[in-house]
Amino acid sequence: MFFRASAEDDRSVEELISDIESGGTHARKQDMYALAVKVRDLAAKDGKPAYFSDAVTAKLLQLLERVTEKEDEKLREYLIAAVGRAGNPELTVPVMTAIATGPTCSLEDRVYAVEGLALSRSPHAIEALERVIDSNDQPEGWDLRWVALAALANIGH
């Protein structure tokens, strides 16, 4: 019990973002884990999904824009997942759609974007997921299409 209490991270999401921006590789991994815990703990109230504030979402989107795949592939994937799941859908859906349908994005980034949209359970994501399905009608796009279909089912569409 003592270990769990000492291991809990009491930093705010804003503090975590600041630490991710300024930290080294190892510290970034710890901070991304702490952010993932914050995303997981973002509890749905009354059966409706909960999201980060507009200000936090904007900060996460700015960080995502600055982190390139070449710089830090895993950090980018975790950011995509966190933003897609917990960011305000009005701000994140256009960005996640661009990643999910972007031919220059890696398959991993595209899958993380679709999974984030699925976990957001936002009706705003439905059109984006339908675009993913429509734009991946070739055999090599089947995996992404499957994830998008599962995402629509998760949203209840």
Side-chain angles (χ1 to χ4, degrees):
M1 221 162 91
F2 174 73
F3 175 74
R4 184 166 200 265
S6 66
E8 286 186 23
D9 198 326
D10 292 333
R11 292 177 290 174
S12 70
V13 176
E14 291 90 346
E15 291 170 325
L16 286 170
I17 294 168
S18 177
D19 291 347
I20 290 167
E21 291 174 322
S22 63
T25 304
H26 183 68
R28 276 183 160 185
K29 288 179 183 177
Q30 291 176 331
D31 295 337
M32 282 308 302
Y33 175 78
L35 180 62
V37 170
K38 298 275 188 200
V39 169
R40 182 197 69 203
D41 292 344
L42 200 58
K45 295 178 176 74
D46 300 326
K48 295 181 181 179
Y51 306 106
F52 290 138
S53 69
D54 289 354
V56 169
T57 300
K59 285 182 180 183
L60 285 169
L61 288 170
Q62 289 171 353
L63 180 58
L64 176 61
E65 188 176 305
R66 286 194 305 268
V67 175
T68 65
E69 198 173 332
K70 291 177 184 173
E71 176 190 353
D72 194 336
E73 178 184 348
K74 284 297 175 196
L75 176 62
R76 183 168 169 77
E77 290 173 0
Y78 295 148
L79 279 171
I80 290 170
V83 170
R85 157 53 188 99
N88 179 336
E90 292 177 9
L91 300 174
T92 60
V93 167
V95 175
M96 294 297 107
T97 302
I99 293 170
T101 59
T104 59
C105 295
S106 71
L107 179 61
E108 290 80 13
D109 281 2
R110 295 169 74 197
V111 168
Y112 274 104
V114 171
E115 288 174 345
L117 290 170
L119 293 172
S120 75
R121 300 196 63 188
S122 170
H124 292 90
I126 292 171
E127 185 179 327
L129 293 166
E130 289 173 342
R131 278 186 57 197
V132 170
I133 292 167
D134 292 342
S135 66
N136 288 284
D137 58 355
Q138 300 300 315
E140 61 272 6
W142 176 247
D143 289 342
L144 192 58
R145 191 173 188 179
W146 178 255
V147 173
L149 287 167
L152 288 172
N154 188 49
I155 293 173
H157 182 69

Short mmCIF file of all heavy atoms in Angstrom, two decimals, residues 86-155:
data_model
loop_
_atom_site.label_atom_id
_atom_site.label_comp_id
_atom_site.label_asym_id
_atom_site.label_seq_id
_atom_site.Cartn_x
_atom_site.Cartn_y
_atom_site.Cartn_z
N ALA A 86 -9.21 11.34 -25.21
CA ALA A 86 -9.62 12.23 -24.13
C ALA A 86 -9.72 13.70 -24.51
O ALA A 86 -10.19 14.50 -23.72
CB ALA A 86 -8.66 12.08 -22.96
N GLY A 87 -9.30 14.06 -25.71
CA GLY A 87 -9.41 15.45 -26.11
C GLY A 87 -10.84 15.82 -26.47
O GLY A 87 -11.64 14.95 -26.81
N ASN A 88 -11.14 17.09 -26.39
CA ASN A 88 -12.47 17.56 -26.77
C ASN A 88 -12.70 17.22 -28.24
O ASN A 88 -11.96 17.69 -29.10
CB ASN A 88 -12.56 19.07 -26.55
CG ASN A 88 -13.89 19.63 -26.94
OD1 ASN A 88 -14.62 19.07 -27.75
ND2 ASN A 88 -14.24 20.76 -26.38
N PRO A 89 -13.70 16.39 -28.55
CA PRO A 89 -13.91 15.93 -29.93
C PRO A 89 -14.07 17.05 -30.95
O PRO A 89 -13.67 16.90 -32.10
CB PRO A 89 -15.17 15.10 -29.84
CG PRO A 89 -15.26 14.66 -28.44
CD PRO A 89 -14.66 15.78 -27.63
N GLU A 90 -14.63 18.17 -30.55
CA GLU A 90 -14.79 19.27 -31.49
C GLU A 90 -13.44 19.76 -32.00
O GLU A 90 -13.32 20.25 -33.12
CB GLU A 90 -15.58 20.41 -30.86
CG GLU A 90 -17.03 20.03 -30.59
CD GLU A 90 -17.80 21.12 -29.89
OE1 GLU A 90 -17.27 22.25 -29.73
OE2 GLU A 90 -18.93 20.85 -29.48
N LEU A 91 -12.40 19.64 -31.16
CA LEU A 91 -11.06 20.08 -31.54
C LEU A 91 -10.22 18.94 -32.13
O LEU A 91 -9.37 19.17 -32.99
CB LEU A 91 -10.32 20.65 -30.32
CG LEU A 91 -10.97 21.86 -29.64
CD1 LEU A 91 -10.21 22.22 -28.37
CD2 LEU A 91 -11.03 23.03 -30.58
N THR A 92 -10.45 17.72 -31.66
CA THR A 92 -9.57 16.61 -32.04
C THR A 92 -10.01 15.84 -33.27
O THR A 92 -9.16 15.29 -33.97
CB THR A 92 -9.41 15.62 -30.87
OG1 THR A 92 -10.69 15.09 -30.53
CG2 THR A 92 -8.77 16.27 -29.67
N VAL A 93 -11.30 15.77 -33.53
CA VAL A 93 -11.77 14.95 -34.64
C VAL A 93 -11.14 15.38 -35.98
O VAL A 93 -10.70 14.51 -36.74
CB VAL A 93 -13.31 14.90 -34.70
CG1 VAL A 93 -13.79 14.32 -36.02
CG2 VAL A 93 -13.84 14.07 -33.54
N PRO A 94 -11.04 16.67 -36.29
CA PRO A 94 -10.39 17.03 -37.56
C PRO A 94 -8.94 16.55 -37.64
O PRO A 94 -8.49 16.07 -38.69
CB PRO A 94 -10.48 18.56 -37.60
CG PRO A 94 -11.63 18.90 -36.71
CD PRO A 94 -11.62 17.86 -35.64
N VAL A 95 -8.21 16.66 -36.55
CA VAL A 95 -6.81 16.24 -36.53
C VAL A 95 -6.71 14.72 -36.64
O VAL A 95 -5.90 14.19 -37.41
CB VAL A 95 -6.10 16.74 -35.24
CG1 VAL A 95 -4.68 16.20 -35.15
CG2 VAL A 95 -6.12 18.25 -35.18
N MET A 96 -7.54 14.00 -35.89
CA MET A 96 -7.52 12.54 -35.94
C MET A 96 -7.95 12.04 -37.32
O MET A 96 -7.41 11.06 -37.83
CB MET A 96 -8.44 11.93 -34.87
CG MET A 96 -7.99 12.18 -33.44
SD MET A 96 -6.41 11.45 -33.03
CE MET A 96 -5.38 12.91 -32.96
N THR A 97 -8.89 12.74 -37.96
CA THR A 97 -9.32 12.37 -39.31
C THR A 97 -8.17 12.54 -40.29
O THR A 97 -7.94 11.67 -41.14
CB THR A 97 -10.52 13.23 -39.75
OG1 THR A 97 -11.58 13.07 -38.81
CG2 THR A 97 -11.01 12.84 -41.14
N ALA A 98 -7.45 13.64 -40.17
CA ALA A 98 -6.31 13.88 -41.06
C ALA A 98 -5.24 12.80 -40.89
O ALA A 98 -4.66 12.34 -41.87
CB ALA A 98 -5.73 15.26 -40.80
N ILE A 99 -5.01 12.39 -39.66
CA ILE A 99 -4.02 11.33 -39.42
C ILE A 99 -4.54 10.00 -39.93
O ILE A 99 -3.83 9.27 -40.62
CB ILE A 99 -3.68 11.24 -37.92
CG1 ILE A 99 -2.94 12.51 -37.46
CG2 ILE A 99 -2.83 10.00 -37.62
CD1 ILE A 99 -2.77 12.62 -35.96
N ALA A 100 -5.79 9.68 -39.61
CA ALA A 100 -6.36 8.38 -39.98
C ALA A 100 -6.49 8.19 -41.48
O ALA A 100 -6.39 7.07 -41.98
CB ALA A 100 -7.72 8.19 -39.32
N THR A 101 -6.70 9.26 -42.22
CA THR A 101 -6.87 9.15 -43.66
C THR A 101 -5.65 9.64 -44.43
O THR A 101 -5.65 9.61 -45.66
CB THR A 101 -8.11 9.94 -44.14
OG1 THR A 101 -7.96 11.31 -43.78
CG2 THR A 101 -9.38 9.37 -43.53
N GLY A 102 -4.64 10.09 -43.71
CA GLY A 102 -3.45 10.63 -44.36
C GLY A 102 -2.57 9.56 -44.97
O GLY A 102 -2.06 8.71 -44.26
N PRO A 103 -2.39 9.60 -46.28
CA PRO A 103 -1.58 8.57 -46.94
C PRO A 103 -0.11 8.62 -46.55
O PRO A 103 0.60 7.64 -46.69
CB PRO A 103 -1.78 8.86 -48.43
CG PRO A 103 -2.21 10.28 -48.50
CD PRO A 103 -2.91 10.58 -47.21
N THR A 104 0.36 9.76 -46.04
CA THR A 104 1.76 9.86 -45.66
C THR A 104 2.00 9.45 -44.21
O THR A 104 3.14 9.32 -43.80
CB THR A 104 2.28 11.30 -45.85
OG1 THR A 104 1.50 12.19 -45.05
CG2 THR A 104 2.21 11.71 -47.32
N CYS A 105 0.94 9.24 -43.45
CA CYS A 105 1.08 8.81 -42.06
C CYS A 105 1.37 7.32 -42.01
O CYS A 105 0.89 6.56 -42.86
CB CYS A 105 -0.20 9.11 -41.27
SG CYS A 105 -0.53 10.88 -41.12
N SER A 106 2.09 6.90 -40.98
CA SER A 106 2.38 5.47 -40.84
C SER A 106 1.10 4.73 -40.48
O SER A 106 0.15 5.31 -39.94
CB SER A 106 3.43 5.25 -39.75
OG SER A 106 2.87 5.50 -38.48
N LEU A 107 1.08 3.44 -40.76
CA LEU A 107 -0.08 2.62 -40.43
C LEU A 107 -0.34 2.64 -38.92
O LEU A 107 -1.48 2.71 -38.48
CB LEU A 107 0.12 1.18 -40.92
CG LEU A 107 -1.02 0.21 -40.60
CD1 LEU A 107 -2.33 0.68 -41.25
CD2 LEU A 107 -0.68 -1.19 -41.06
N GLU A 108 0.73 2.62 -38.12
CA GLU A 108 0.58 2.65 -36.67
C GLU A 108 -0.11 3.93 -36.22
O GLU A 108 -1.02 3.91 -35.39
CB GLU A 108 1.94 2.50 -35.97
CG GLU A 108 2.55 1.13 -36.10
CD GLU A 108 3.25 0.91 -37.45
OE1 GLU A 108 3.49 1.91 -38.19
OE2 GLU A 108 3.54 -0.24 -37.77
N ASP A 109 0.33 5.08 -36.76
CA ASP A 109 -0.32 6.35 -36.41
C ASP A 109 -1.79 6.34 -36.81
O ASP A 109 -2.65 6.80 -36.06
CB ASP A 109 0.37 7.53 -37.11
CG ASP A 109 1.66 7.97 -36.43
OD1 ASP A 109 2.05 7.33 -35.42
OD2 ASP A 109 2.27 8.94 -36.91
N ARG A 110 -2.06 5.80 -37.98
CA ARG A 110 -3.44 5.77 -38.46
C ARG A 110 -4.31 4.89 -37.57
O ARG A 110 -5.44 5.26 -37.23
CB ARG A 110 -3.46 5.28 -39.91
CG ARG A 110 -2.75 6.28 -40.84
CD ARG A 110 -2.53 5.73 -42.22
NE ARG A 110 -3.80 5.71 -42.92
CZ ARG A 110 -4.01 5.00 -44.02
NH1 ARG A 110 -3.05 4.27 -44.54
NH2 ARG A 110 -5.18 5.04 -44.61
N VAL A 111 -3.79 3.74 -37.16
CA VAL A 111 -4.54 2.84 -36.28
C VAL A 111 -4.77 3.50 -34.92
O VAL A 111 -5.87 3.45 -34.37
CB VAL A 111 -3.83 1.48 -36.13
CG1 VAL A 111 -4.44 0.66 -35.01
CG2 VAL A 111 -3.89 0.71 -37.44
N TYR A 112 -3.73 4.15 -34.36
CA TYR A 112 -3.90 4.83 -33.08
C TYR A 112 -4.95 5.93 -33.17
O TYR A 112 -5.74 6.13 -32.24
CB TYR A 112 -2.57 5.42 -32.58
CG TYR A 112 -1.74 4.44 -31.81
CD1 TYR A 112 -0.63 3.84 -32.38
CD2 TYR A 112 -2.05 4.13 -30.49
CE1 TYR A 112 0.15 2.94 -31.66
CE2 TYR A 112 -1.28 3.23 -29.77
CZ TYR A 112 -0.19 2.64 -30.36
OH TYR A 112 0.57 1.75 -29.64
N ALA A 113 -4.99 6.65 -34.29
CA ALA A 113 -5.99 7.71 -34.46
C ALA A 113 -7.40 7.13 -34.49
O ALA A 113 -8.31 7.65 -33.84
CB ALA A 113 -5.70 8.49 -35.74
N VAL A 114 -7.57 6.02 -35.22
CA VAL A 114 -8.89 5.39 -35.29
C VAL A 114 -9.29 4.82 -33.93
O VAL A 114 -10.44 4.98 -33.49
CB VAL A 114 -8.91 4.29 -36.39
CG1 VAL A 114 -10.19 3.48 -36.33
CG2 VAL A 114 -8.76 4.92 -37.76
N GLU A 115 -8.35 4.19 -33.24
CA GLU A 115 -8.66 3.66 -31.91
C GLU A 115 -9.00 4.79 -30.93
O GLU A 115 -9.90 4.65 -30.10
CB GLU A 115 -7.48 2.84 -31.38
CG GLU A 115 -7.32 1.52 -32.09
CD GLU A 115 -6.08 0.76 -31.66
OE1 GLU A 115 -5.17 1.34 -31.02
OE2 GLU A 115 -6.00 -0.44 -32.00
N GLY A 116 -8.29 5.91 -31.03
CA GLY A 116 -8.62 7.06 -30.18
C GLY A 116 -10.02 7.57 -30.44
O GLY A 116 -10.78 7.87 -29.51
N LEU A 117 -10.39 7.65 -31.72
CA LEU A 117 -11.75 8.07 -32.06
C LEU A 117 -12.78 7.08 -31.51
O LEU A 117 -13.84 7.48 -31.03
CB LEU A 117 -11.90 8.19 -33.58
CG LEU A 117 -11.17 9.34 -34.24
CD1 LEU A 117 -11.19 9.20 -35.76
CD2 LEU A 117 -11.77 10.67 -33.81
N ALA A 118 -12.46 5.80 -31.56
CA ALA A 118 -13.37 4.78 -31.04
C ALA A 118 -13.56 4.94 -29.54
O ALA A 118 -14.69 4.91 -29.03
CB ALA A 118 -12.84 3.38 -31.35
N LEU A 119 -12.46 5.12 -28.84
CA LEU A 119 -12.54 5.22 -27.38
C LEU A 119 -13.16 6.53 -26.90
O LEU A 119 -13.65 6.61 -25.78
CB LEU A 119 -11.15 5.03 -26.76
CG LEU A 119 -10.57 3.62 -26.93
CD1 LEU A 119 -9.13 3.58 -26.45
CD2 LEU A 119 -11.41 2.60 -26.18
N SER A 120 -13.15 7.54 -27.77
CA SER A 120 -13.79 8.80 -27.40
C SER A 120 -15.30 8.64 -27.31
O SER A 120 -15.96 9.38 -26.60
CB SER A 120 -13.46 9.89 -28.42
OG SER A 120 -14.21 9.70 -29.62
N ARG A 121 -15.82 7.67 -28.04
CA ARG A 121 -17.26 7.40 -28.10
C ARG A 121 -18.06 8.64 -28.45
O ARG A 121 -19.20 8.81 -28.05
CB ARG A 121 -17.74 6.79 -26.78
CG ARG A 121 -17.01 5.48 -26.49
CD ARG A 121 -17.65 4.67 -25.47
NE ARG A 121 -18.97 4.29 -25.99
CZ ARG A 121 -19.88 3.68 -25.28
NH1 ARG A 121 -19.62 3.37 -24.04
NH2 ARG A 121 -21.04 3.37 -25.78
N SER A 122 -17.46 9.50 -29.23
CA SER A 122 -18.11 10.75 -29.61
C SER A 122 -18.86 10.61 -30.92
O SER A 122 -18.31 10.09 -31.90
CB SER A 122 -17.05 11.85 -29.76
OG SER A 122 -17.63 13.00 -30.35
N PRO A 123 -20.09 11.11 -30.98
CA PRO A 123 -20.82 11.12 -32.25
C PRO A 123 -20.11 11.95 -33.32
O PRO A 123 -20.30 11.73 -34.51
CB PRO A 123 -22.17 11.74 -31.89
CG PRO A 123 -22.30 11.63 -30.43
CD PRO A 123 -20.92 11.60 -29.87
N HIS A 124 -19.24 12.89 -32.89
CA HIS A 124 -18.47 13.70 -33.84
C HIS A 124 -17.53 12.82 -34.68
O HIS A 124 -17.12 13.21 -35.77
CB HIS A 124 -17.63 14.75 -33.11
CG HIS A 124 -18.44 15.82 -32.46
ND1 HIS A 124 -18.88 15.73 -31.17
CD2 HIS A 124 -18.88 17.00 -32.93
CE1 HIS A 124 -19.56 16.80 -30.86
NE2 HIS A 124 -19.58 17.60 -31.91
N ALA A 125 -17.18 11.65 -34.16
CA ALA A 125 -16.20 10.78 -34.82
C ALA A 125 -16.82 9.91 -35.91
O ALA A 125 -16.09 9.33 -36.72
CB ALA A 125 -15.52 9.90 -33.79
N ILE A 126 -18.13 9.82 -35.97
CA ILE A 126 -18.79 8.89 -36.90
C ILE A 126 -18.43 9.19 -38.35
O ILE A 126 -18.04 8.30 -39.10
CB ILE A 126 -20.32 8.91 -36.67
CG1 ILE A 126 -20.64 8.28 -35.32
CG2 ILE A 126 -21.04 8.17 -37.80
CD1 ILE A 126 -22.08 8.42 -34.88
N GLU A 127 -18.54 10.43 -38.75
CA GLU A 127 -18.23 10.79 -40.14
C GLU A 127 -16.76 10.49 -40.47
O GLU A 127 -16.45 9.99 -41.55
CB GLU A 127 -18.54 12.27 -40.38
CG GLU A 127 -18.35 12.67 -41.83
CD GLU A 127 -18.70 14.13 -42.06
OE1 GLU A 127 -19.60 14.66 -41.39
OE2 GLU A 127 -18.05 14.73 -42.94
N ALA A 128 -15.87 10.77 -39.54
CA ALA A 128 -14.45 10.50 -39.75
C ALA A 128 -14.19 9.01 -39.93
O ALA A 128 -13.43 8.59 -40.81
CB ALA A 128 -13.63 11.03 -38.58
N LEU A 129 -14.83 8.20 -39.11
CA LEU A 129 -14.65 6.75 -39.20
C LEU A 129 -15.23 6.20 -40.51
O LEU A 129 -14.65 5.30 -41.13
CB LEU A 129 -15.27 6.06 -37.99
CG LEU A 129 -14.56 6.38 -36.67
CD1 LEU A 129 -15.42 5.95 -35.49
CD2 LEU A 129 -13.19 5.73 -36.62
N GLU A 130 -16.34 6.76 -40.94
CA GLU A 130 -16.91 6.35 -42.23
C GLU A 130 -15.97 6.72 -43.37
O GLU A 130 -15.83 5.95 -44.33
CB GLU A 130 -18.29 6.99 -42.41
CG GLU A 130 -19.33 6.38 -41.50
CD GLU A 130 -20.67 7.10 -41.54
OE1 GLU A 130 -20.72 8.29 -42.00
OE2 GLU A 130 -21.67 6.51 -41.09
N ARG A 131 -15.29 7.87 -43.26
CA ARG A 131 -14.30 8.25 -44.28
C ARG A 131 -13.14 7.26 -44.31
O ARG A 131 -12.63 6.93 -45.37
CB ARG A 131 -13.76 9.65 -44.01
CG ARG A 131 -14.67 10.73 -44.53
CD ARG A 131 -14.09 12.11 -44.41
NE ARG A 131 -12.81 12.23 -45.09
CZ ARG A 131 -11.96 13.22 -44.86
NH1 ARG A 131 -12.24 14.15 -43.97
NH2 ARG A 131 -10.83 13.28 -45.53
N VAL A 132 -12.71 6.81 -43.13
CA VAL A 132 -11.62 5.83 -43.06
C VAL A 132 -12.05 4.55 -43.77
O VAL A 132 -11.28 3.97 -44.55
CB VAL A 132 -11.23 5.54 -41.59
CG1 VAL A 132 -10.29 4.34 -41.50
CG2 VAL A 132 -10.59 6.76 -40.96
N ILE A 133 -13.27 4.10 -43.53
CA ILE A 133 -13.76 2.88 -44.16
C ILE A 133 -13.83 3.05 -45.68
O ILE A 133 -13.37 2.20 -46.44
CB ILE A 133 -15.15 2.48 -43.59
CG1 ILE A 133 -14.99 2.05 -42.13
CG2 ILE A 133 -15.79 1.39 -44.42
CD1 ILE A 133 -16.29 1.93 -41.37
N ASP A 134 -14.36 4.18 -46.12
CA ASP A 134 -14.49 4.43 -47.56
C ASP A 134 -13.14 4.57 -48.26
O ASP A 134 -13.00 4.18 -49.41
CB ASP A 134 -15.33 5.68 -47.81
CG ASP A 134 -16.79 5.50 -47.41
OD1 ASP A 134 -17.23 4.32 -47.27
OD2 ASP A 134 -17.48 6.51 -47.22
N SER A 135 -12.16 5.12 -47.57
CA SER A 135 -10.86 5.36 -48.20
C SER A 135 -9.92 4.15 -48.12
O SER A 135 -8.81 4.21 -48.66
CB SER A 135 -10.18 6.59 -47.59
OG SER A 135 -9.86 6.35 -46.25
N ASN A 136 -10.34 3.08 -47.49
CA ASN A 136 -9.50 1.88 -47.36
C ASN A 136 -10.22 0.67 -47.92
O ASN A 136 -10.42 -0.33 -47.23
CB ASN A 136 -9.12 1.65 -45.90
CG ASN A 136 -8.13 2.65 -45.40
OD1 ASN A 136 -6.95 2.59 -45.72
ND2 ASN A 136 -8.60 3.63 -44.65
N ASP A 137 -10.57 0.76 -49.20
CA ASP A 137 -11.33 -0.33 -49.80
C ASP A 137 -10.45 -1.34 -50.53
O ASP A 137 -10.95 -2.28 -51.13
CB ASP A 137 -12.41 0.22 -50.73
CG ASP A 137 -11.84 1.10 -51.83
OD1 ASP A 137 -10.62 1.37 -51.81
OD2 ASP A 137 -12.62 1.53 -52.70
N GLN A 138 -9.15 -1.16 -50.46
CA GLN A 138 -8.23 -2.12 -51.08
C GLN A 138 -7.79 -3.15 -50.03
O GLN A 138 -7.86 -2.89 -48.83
CB GLN A 138 -6.99 -1.38 -51.62
CG GLN A 138 -7.32 -0.34 -52.67
CD GLN A 138 -8.00 -0.94 -53.89
OE1 GLN A 138 -7.57 -1.97 -54.40
NE2 GLN A 138 -9.08 -0.31 -54.34
N PRO A 139 -7.34 -4.33 -50.47
CA PRO A 139 -6.95 -5.38 -49.51
C PRO A 139 -5.90 -4.94 -48.49
O PRO A 139 -5.96 -5.33 -47.32
CB PRO A 139 -6.40 -6.49 -50.40
CG PRO A 139 -7.07 -6.29 -51.71
CD PRO A 139 -7.27 -4.80 -51.84
N GLU A 140 -4.95 -4.08 -48.89
CA GLU A 140 -3.92 -3.65 -47.94
C GLU A 140 -4.47 -2.72 -46.86
O GLU A 140 -3.82 -2.50 -45.84
CB GLU A 140 -2.74 -2.99 -48.67
CG GLU A 140 -3.09 -1.75 -49.44
CD GLU A 140 -3.53 -2.02 -50.87
OE1 GLU A 140 -3.68 -3.18 -51.28
OE2 GLU A 140 -3.75 -1.03 -51.60
N GLY A 141 -5.66 -2.19 -47.05
CA GLY A 141 -6.27 -1.32 -46.05
C GLY A 141 -7.27 -2.03 -45.15
O GLY A 141 -7.96 -1.39 -44.36
N TRP A 142 -7.33 -3.36 -45.27
CA TRP A 142 -8.33 -4.09 -44.52
C TRP A 142 -8.17 -3.96 -43.01
O TRP A 142 -9.15 -3.81 -42.29
CB TRP A 142 -8.35 -5.57 -44.91
CG TRP A 142 -9.32 -6.34 -44.08
CD1 TRP A 142 -9.02 -7.30 -43.18
CD2 TRP A 142 -10.74 -6.19 -44.04
NE1 TRP A 142 -10.17 -7.77 -42.58
CE2 TRP A 142 -11.24 -7.09 -43.10
CE3 TRP A 142 -11.64 -5.36 -44.70
CZ2 TRP A 142 -12.59 -7.20 -42.80
CZ3 TRP A 142 -12.99 -5.47 -44.40
CH2 TRP A 142 -13.45 -6.39 -43.47
N ASP A 143 -6.94 -4.00 -42.50
CA ASP A 143 -6.72 -3.89 -41.06
C ASP A 143 -7.29 -2.59 -40.51
O ASP A 143 -7.98 -2.58 -39.49
CB ASP A 143 -5.24 -3.99 -40.71
CG ASP A 143 -4.67 -5.37 -40.90
OD1 ASP A 143 -5.48 -6.33 -40.95
OD2 ASP A 143 -3.45 -5.51 -40.98
N LEU A 144 -6.99 -1.50 -41.19
CA LEU A 144 -7.47 -0.20 -40.73
C LEU A 144 -9.00 -0.12 -40.85
O LEU A 144 -9.67 0.43 -39.99
CB LEU A 144 -6.81 0.92 -41.54
CG LEU A 144 -7.00 2.32 -41.01
CD1 LEU A 144 -6.48 2.45 -39.59
CD2 LEU A 144 -6.32 3.32 -41.91
N ARG A 145 -9.51 -0.69 -41.91
CA ARG A 145 -10.97 -0.71 -42.10
C ARG A 145 -11.64 -1.50 -40.98
O ARG A 145 -12.68 -1.10 -40.46
CB ARG A 145 -11.27 -1.32 -43.46
CG ARG A 145 -12.69 -1.14 -43.88
CD ARG A 145 -12.89 -1.62 -45.30
NE ARG A 145 -14.23 -1.24 -45.70
CZ ARG A 145 -14.73 -1.48 -46.87
NH1 ARG A 145 -14.01 -2.07 -47.79
NH2 ARG A 145 -15.96 -1.13 -47.15
N TRP A 146 -11.06 -2.62 -40.60
CA TRP A 146 -11.59 -3.45 -39.52
C TRP A 146 -11.63 -2.67 -38.20
O TRP A 146 -12.62 -2.70 -37.48
CB TRP A 146 -10.74 -4.71 -39.39
CG TRP A 146 -11.17 -5.60 -38.28
CD1 TRP A 146 -10.55 -5.77 -37.08
CD2 TRP A 146 -12.32 -6.45 -38.24
NE1 TRP A 146 -11.24 -6.66 -36.30
CE2 TRP A 146 -12.33 -7.09 -37.00
CE3 TRP A 146 -13.34 -6.70 -39.15
CZ2 TRP A 146 -13.33 -7.99 -36.64
CZ3 TRP A 146 -14.33 -7.59 -38.78
CH2 TRP A 146 -14.31 -8.22 -37.55
N VAL A 147 -10.55 -1.95 -37.92
CA VAL A 147 -10.49 -1.15 -36.69
C VAL A 147 -11.56 -0.05 -36.73
O VAL A 147 -12.22 0.22 -35.72
CB VAL A 147 -9.08 -0.55 -36.49
CG1 VAL A 147 -9.05 0.41 -35.31
CG2 VAL A 147 -8.05 -1.66 -36.28
N ALA A 148 -11.76 0.56 -37.90
CA ALA A 148 -12.78 1.61 -38.03
C ALA A 148 -14.19 1.05 -37.85
O ALA A 148 -15.05 1.68 -37.23
CB ALA A 148 -12.64 2.31 -39.38
N LEU A 149 -14.44 -0.15 -38.39
CA LEU A 149 -15.75 -0.79 -38.19
C LEU A 149 -15.99 -1.09 -36.72
O LEU A 149 -17.08 -0.87 -36.19
CB LEU A 149 -15.84 -2.07 -39.03
CG LEU A 149 -16.00 -1.87 -40.52
CD1 LEU A 149 -15.75 -3.18 -41.27
CD2 LEU A 149 -17.38 -1.32 -40.84
N ALA A 150 -14.97 -1.60 -36.05
CA ALA A 150 -15.08 -1.86 -34.60
C ALA A 150 -15.31 -0.55 -33.85
O ALA A 150 -16.07 -0.50 -32.87
CB ALA A 150 -13.83 -2.57 -34.09
N ALA A 151 -14.67 0.52 -34.30
CA ALA A 151 -14.85 1.83 -33.66
C ALA A 151 -16.30 2.30 -33.78
O ALA A 151 -16.88 2.79 -32.81
CB ALA A 151 -13.91 2.85 -34.30
N LEU A 152 -16.88 2.14 -34.96
CA LEU A 152 -18.29 2.52 -35.13
C LEU A 152 -19.20 1.71 -34.23
O LEU A 152 -20.16 2.22 -33.66
CB LEU A 152 -18.71 2.37 -36.60
CG LEU A 152 -18.15 3.42 -37.55
CD1 LEU A 152 -18.46 3.06 -38.99
CD2 LEU A 152 -18.72 4.80 -37.21
N ALA A 153 -18.89 0.43 -34.09
CA ALA A 153 -19.67 -0.41 -33.18
C ALA A 153 -19.52 0.06 -31.74
O ALA A 153 -20.49 0.07 -30.97
CB ALA A 153 -19.24 -1.88 -33.31
N ASN A 154 -18.30 0.46 -31.37
CA ASN A 154 -18.06 0.95 -30.01
C ASN A 154 -18.85 2.22 -29.72
O ASN A 154 -19.34 2.41 -28.62
CB ASN A 154 -16.55 1.21 -29.82
CG ASN A 154 -16.19 1.53 -28.39
OD1 ASN A 154 -16.59 0.84 -27.47
ND2 ASN A 154 -15.45 2.60 -28.20
N ILE A 155 -18.99 3.06 -30.74
CA ILE A 155 -19.75 4.29 -30.57
C ILE A 155 -21.25 4.00 -30.57
O ILE A 155 -22.05 4.78 -30.06
CB ILE A 155 -19.37 5.31 -31.68
CG1 ILE A 155 -17.93 5.75 -31.47
CG2 ILE A 155 -20.30 6.51 -31.69
CD1 ILE A 155 -17.38 6.61 -32.58
#
